[in-house]
């Protein structure tokens, strides 16, 4: 079972699909009663077997490269208020330690600033099983799955996700990259919703809202058809 804070669900659009999977594998180790400074340990071989990769040097290199990217590309920008009342943005990282040993030992620990997002699991969290993640192969499908669960309340059947076009592009593309509205719809939103519909028995309805001729926001409604009761 993976459990992850809402803010984290929208923070890593710059990661590739395999990196997203490795990150979710890391989150799967978290238990509700864990301490914020806990060091987690796993072997590269366990990760390789989990993802069904061949036990070759190339697979070990792929896992090591994924952790390197997670170390470099999981920056967090969090709102913060100082004791004197001054408001600002805290620039921090998800991990404070990532160790990859020559025998394939992997150790990781979440940073003190990110730990509250990871460990405060009783509110504002989403959860899903690793077996559900394994059915989604596309990067954008994985991101949409996380957005769905982060906006979903409990096991409700209908979930609505609303945001500006900047919000949506940030969720799916990260902080730096942006594309045209037509490319974003065709290459990203359409692909992501179609994968959820095909593999998770969902029904997606996307509404776009314009100001003049320019699309300024999207509203996506997702229906979990697996929860519908047949008459």
């Amino acid at each position: 079972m993976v459990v992850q804070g809402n803010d984290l669900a929208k923070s890593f659009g710059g990661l590739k699909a395999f990196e997203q999977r490795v990150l979710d594998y890391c989150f799967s180790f978290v238990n509700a009663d864990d301490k914020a400074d806990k060091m987690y340990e796993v072997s590269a071989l366990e990760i390789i077997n989990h993802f069904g990769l061949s036990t070759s040097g190339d697979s070990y290199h792929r896992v090591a490269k994924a952790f390197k990217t997670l170390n470099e590309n999981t920056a967090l920008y969090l709102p913060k208020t100082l004791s004197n009342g001054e408001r600002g943005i805290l620039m921090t990282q998800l991990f404070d330690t990532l160790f990859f040993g020559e025998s394939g030992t992997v150790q990781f620990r979440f940073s003190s600033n990110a730990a509250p997002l990871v460990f405060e699991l009783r509110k504002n969290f989403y959860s899903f099983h690793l077996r559900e993640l394994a059915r989604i192969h596309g990067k954008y499908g994985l991101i949409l799955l996380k957005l769905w669960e982060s906006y979903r309340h409990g096991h409700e059947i209908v979930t609505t996700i609303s945001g500006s076009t900047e919000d949506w592009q940030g969720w799916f593309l990260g902080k730096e990259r942006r594309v045209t509205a037509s490319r974003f719809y065709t290459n990203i939103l359409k692909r992501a919703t179609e994968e959820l519909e095909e593999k998770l028995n969902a029904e997606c309805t996307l509404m776009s809202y314009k100001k003049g001729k320019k699309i300024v926001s999207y509203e996506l409604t997702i229906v979990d058809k697996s929860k519908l009761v047949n008459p």
Side-chain angles (χ1 to χ4, degrees):
M1 177 73 78
V2 177
V3 184
Q4 180 181 334
N6 255 349
D7 290 341
L8 296 180
K10 310 165 195 173
S11 298
F12 306 124
L15 299 176
K16 296 178 181 177
F18 184 69
E19 294 154 3
Q20 291 268 357
R21 291 177 180 277
V22 172
L23 179 59
D24 288 323
Y25 189 78
C26 291
F27 282 125
S28 73
F29 283 83
V30 176
N31 294 308
D33 57 352
D34 286 348
K35 302 298 183 183
D37 61 350
K38 180 174 180 177
M39 182 75 76
Y40 298 91
E41 182 172 317
V42 67
S43 72
L45 182 59
E46 290 173 28
I47 298 172
I48 287 169
N49 290 335
H50 174 77
F51 290 113
L53 305 176
S54 63
T55 55
S56 65
D58 287 344
S59 294
Y60 279 87
H61 177 74
R62 186 180 182 189
V63 171
K65 186 177 179 182
F67 276 104
K68 180 176 183 292
T69 302
L70 291 181
N71 182 55
E72 296 172 348
N73 292 356
T74 52
L76 290 170
Y77 298 88
L78 307 173
K80 182 178 176 66
T81 303
L82 299 179
S83 58
N84 64 4
E86 182 180 1
R87 294 185 299 175
I89 299 296
L90 173 66
M91 304 178 198
T92 186
Q93 299 286 332
L94 177 60
F95 297 99
D96 77 353
T97 298
L98 276 171
F99 172 81
F100 199 94
E102 60 184 8
S103 66
T105 299
V106 179
Q107 293 183 338
F108 59 91
R109 183 174 62 198
F110 300 107
S111 72
S112 59
N113 289 313
L117 299 177
V118 180
F119 292 101
E120 290 182 2
L121 306 179
R122 294 187 179 181
K123 56 184 179 179
N124 296 328
F125 72 90
Y126 78 81
S127 62
F128 49 86
H129 291 282
L130 283 170
R131 65 174 177 267
E132 292 177 325
L133 279 172
R135 296 164 64 185
I136 305 296
H137 298 289
K139 166 186 172 176
Y140 302 127
L142 284 170
I143 292 173
L144 183 55
L145 173 61
K146 295 179 184 185
L147 281 172
W148 180 14
E149 293 297 343
S150 72
Y151 275 85
R152 193 173 187 173
H153 301 291
H155 298 286
E156 64 184 9
I157 296 173
V158 180
T159 304
T160 300
I161 307 170
S162 300
S164 67
T165 53
E166 176 62 24
D167 288 335
W168 283 91
Q169 295 223 17
W171 293 334
F172 281 87
L173 300 177
K175 298 180 291 294
E176 312 250 336
R177 185 182 165 212
R178 293 294 180 268
V179 296
T180 64
S182 60
R183 284 187 60 195
F184 184 71
Y185 171 75
T186 303
N187 297 341
I188 297 172
L189 282 181
K190 189 170 184 288
R191 287 164 56 186
T193 54
E194 286 177 348
E195 186 168 22
L196 257 62
E197 289 180 331
E198 177 186 353
K199 297 177 179 175
L200 294 183
N201 196 22
E203 180 179 295
C204 300
T205 303
L206 180 70
M207 299 291 293
S208 59
Y209 296 93
K210 294 183 176 181
K211 186 175 183 180
K213 295 183 178 180
K214 183 180 179 181
I215 297 175
V216 294
S217 63
Y218 294 107
E219 181 179 275
L220 176 65
T221 301
I222 305 176
V223 178
D224 186 352
K225 295 169 66 177
S226 69
K227 298 289 191 299
L228 295 175
V229 178
N230 294 323

